């Protein structure tokens, strides 16, 4: 059963092939609650946030589970451990660079700002992609915006944001309202 924020209460997710074969259960590390699993573009990995579900404000960390090897890798070691809104919304980048993107509040206050971050899917130091950007998604399409990031321009304590934007991680000033 799932609980709030896309979290799996017992800390497990079950996956299977489209025809129902190959059923596997993935458990989150150390009995943590598993939140918001998302597929890699090639369907071989899952990224998820694992957190202490008994704490309303625990942020936890991001993990990547490789379905071909069964190996789970913790890809972040976040300094922010508690936050009013803890959901990081992780997903794999669609840019083919094998990275995970997520948003994170700057502080634990309900009136904080949100930024979009990226971390290698193999783990490493998170890199700030864009300031004042929440719910980031990458654009896998062709054309001039191949490496664009779509995001919400957040407002303090309003998770719905003010505008849907698109921009490039290197050039926050180039963002435009959609």
């Amino acid at each position: 059963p799932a609980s709030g924020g896309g979290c799996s209460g017992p800390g497990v997710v079950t996956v299977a092939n489209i025809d129902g074969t190959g059923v596997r259960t993935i458990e989150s590390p150390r009995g943590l609650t598993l939140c918001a699993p998302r597929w890699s573009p090639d369907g071989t990995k899952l990224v998820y946030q694992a957190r202490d579900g008994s704490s309303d404000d625990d942020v936890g960390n991001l993990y990547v589970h490789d379905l071909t090897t069964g190996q789970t890798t913790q890809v972040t070691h976040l300094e922010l451990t508690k936050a009013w809104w803890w959901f990081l919304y992780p997903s794999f980048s669609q840019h083919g660079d094998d990275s995970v993107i997520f948003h994170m509040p700057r502080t634990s206050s309900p009136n904080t700002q949100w930024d979009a971050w990226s971390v290698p899917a193999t783990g490493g130091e998170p890199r700030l992609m864009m300031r004042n950007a929440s719910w980031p998604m990458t654009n896998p399409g062709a054309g001039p915006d191949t490496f664009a990031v779509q995001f919400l321009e957040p407002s303090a304590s309003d998770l719905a944001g003010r505008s849907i934007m698109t921009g490039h991680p290197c050039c926050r000033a180039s963002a435009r309202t959609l």
Side-chain angles (χ1 to χ4, degrees):
S3 59
C7 293
S8 172
V12 299
V13 166
T14 301
V15 297
N17 297 328
I18 193 100
D19 64 1
T21 62
V23 176
R24 289 173 276 179
T25 299
I26 300 165
E27 295 186 29
S28 63
R30 299 179 304 279
L32 299 174
T33 300
L34 190 147
C35 303
R38 304 278 302 269
W39 292 102
S40 62
D42 65 4
T44 63
K45 298 179 185 108
L46 289 173
V47 62
Y48 59 86
Q49 179 180 358
R51 59 184 291 273
D52 178 0
S54 66
S55 171
D56 288 341
D57 59 356
D58 181 62
V59 173
N61 279 287
L62 299 180
Y63 295 79
V64 169
H65 183 86
D66 187 320
L67 294 163
T68 58
T69 66
Q71 181 179 350
T72 299
T73 303
Q74 182 175 343
V75 297
T76 62
H77 298 274
L78 301 174
E79 290 182 27
L80 181 68
T81 58
K82 304 280 183 197
W84 172 76
W85 182 259
W86 48 263
F87 187 56
L88 300 177
Y89 187 64
S91 65
F92 283 93
S93 170
Q94 300 292 311
H95 295 156
D97 60 359
D98 202 26
S99 64
V100 171
I101 62 173
F102 61 100
H103 69 184
M104 191 167 61
R106 290 185 198 156
T107 69
S108 60
S109 165
N111 295 318
T112 189
Q113 290 294 322
W114 291 79
D115 300 319
W117 291 81
S118 174
V119 65
T122 55
E125 195 64 34
R127 178 181 62 86
L128 179 64
M129 290 175 51
M130 303 175 114
R131 292 184 64 73
N132 300 320
S134 61
W135 307 100
M137 294 174 29
T138 56
N139 179 1
D145 280 344
T146 299
F147 292 101
V149 174
Q150 287 76 43
F151 60 95
L152 291 180
E153 181 180 29
S155 57
S157 73
D158 179 7
L159 301 175
R162 293 187 294 233
S163 303
I164 297 174
M165 307 285 285
T166 189
H168 297 272
C170 66
C171 313
R172 173 63 171 88
S174 70
R176 65 178 189 267
T177 302
L178 293 177

